[in-house]
Amino acid sequence: MTPVKHYPRVLSIAGSDSGGGAGIQADLKTIAALGCYGMTAITALTAQNTQGVTGIHAVPPEFLKAQIQAVVEDIGVDAIKIGMLHAPEIVEVVAWAIRHYGIERVVLDPVMVATSGDRLIAEATVSVLVKQLFPLATVVTPNLDEAELLLGHKIDGVPALESAARELLALGAKNVLLKGGHLPGEEVVDMLLPRDSSPLHLKAARIASTNVHGTGCTLSSAIAAYLAQGHALQDAVRRARTWILGAIQAGKDVHTGGLNGGAGHGPLNHGYAPVAMRVLD
């Protein structure tokens, strides 16, 4: 049988950011910049900008399911990135889809708090998300605030990252990428901890910038894009971190938003190094 050529297909299941810096918008920019074909199943609409979130409009679970079915049953999916899931019923639809379609490459970014500090998930949703999606995800990618919310305690310093990551594994995750960017210091340390091997410390010099809105969305969708191209998890994470550091560096001096000079959180430069759409056999 002659192989069928196709683009690396990445489906983002996440919320829409009207300001364009995070959520579905950041995911699509990232997926395209890394040479993949991006698709979406939108879980919620948000009214937000560089200053914060002013409103959330939920998408009904049955319509989320319809979006996923329409995409997977026609175009197909090589990897999924999961972002904002605001309600238990939404989580259940996503878990159903992963099991029903046998999707193997799944990046779960447990979006709970926006860069502005706005809460984006209902309390009742957290336990459902952990129970249903942690075991199905290839990797779970919480930042420090999200990990603390999941674990119910503070994570004080780089030495505490490994023990916190092991606690997250105990909740059912297969692999955890715990992001330490919210810790103080001149160096940013993330930790990739697989269930069955040693931890990997990923270090980089901190880039001074207020334009970091959507970094979590961007990193998780970049990992999904590299997984869709066939890279192993560790390589996908390394490549995604390198790319996002370039996007932060390229956008650190750009002013976006704040008509009156407001001190909001601007976006990364997702288009700093685009590549042509890749084709897989």
Side-chain angles (χ1 to χ4, degrees), residues 57-82:
H57 180 71
V59 169
E62 59 272 17
F63 190 69
L64 173 64
K65 184 176 182 179
Q67 292 177 77
I68 296 172
Q69 289 175 309
V71 167
V72 178
E73 294 176 8
D74 176 40
I75 301 168
V77 171
D78 295 302
I80 285 181
K81 172 265 167 79
I82 303 169

Side-chain angles (χ1 to χ4, degrees), residues 262-274:
H265 297 279
L268 318 183
N269 184 341
H270 293 90
Y272 82 101

Side-chain angles (χ1 to χ4, degrees), residues 109-122:
D109 183 22
V111 175
M112 298 177 181
V113 183
T115 302
S116 60
D118 294 295
R119 178 104 180 213
L120 298 173
I121 188 171

Side-chain angles (χ1 to χ4, degrees), residues 10 23 119 161 195 279-280:
V10 181
R119 178 104 180 213
L161 289 178
R195 177 171 292 279
V279 177
L280 304 178

